Amino acid sequence: MRIHIDEASPGVLEHLAARHLGAATASNDALLTRLQMRQPFLQQDEERAAWTVVIAAPDRRFDGQTARIALLRACLWCACGDYFVLDEAWVADQLNYRALWSTGARCAE
């Protein structure tokens, strides 16, 4: 199953981070360090109750309900690009198929 980085739920992002980034995802500081060369800027939007990470070269922004989710999106995109293929066995183990998609992706249905 193929999923876009902006549509992945927090659980999927954590799974992908463990698979593609390994121990570098232990903390938000570790994620920021990983993005250091891209000049990351982390900001909170209190009105939307969301966090955004903006990186340079190329200019790109990543949103999340928490700082960690926004940082995971940015790190995964830098490491692997926009799309990920999820293991069918892992997807089958998920109790709720809808748990694979972010709230924003579900709202667009």
Side-chain angles (χ1 to χ4, degrees), residues 3-96:
I3 191 167
H4 192 275
I5 190 70
D6 292 336
E7 295 177 342
S9 71
V12 170
L13 292 171
E14 291 288 352
H15 170 75
L16 292 170
R19 195 168 88 187
H20 294 286
L21 304 176
T25 64
S27 69
N28 288 358
D29 289 337
L31 293 170
L32 274 169
T33 300
R34 189 173 179 93
L35 290 171
Q36 199 67 20
M37 292 179 61
R38 303 243 186 198
Q39 303 167 349
F41 176 68
L42 178 65
Q43 65 186 14
Q44 182 179 18
D45 182 345
E46 293 180 19
E47 185 176 314
R48 291 187 315 138
W51 287 81
T52 300
V53 174
V54 179
I55 61 172
D59 290 342
R60 180 87 195 260
R61 63 181 286 146
F62 302 90
D63 296 319
Q65 291 177 323
T66 64
R68 178 165 181 81
I69 296 305
L71 287 166
L72 283 174
R73 284 188 207 285
C75 285
L76 284 165
W77 179 82
C78 290
C80 305
D82 284 320
Y83 289 93
F84 293 86
V85 176
L86 297 174
D87 314 48
E88 289 183 26
W90 185 80
V91 172
D93 284 344
Q94 301 305 301
L95 296 175
N96 182 355

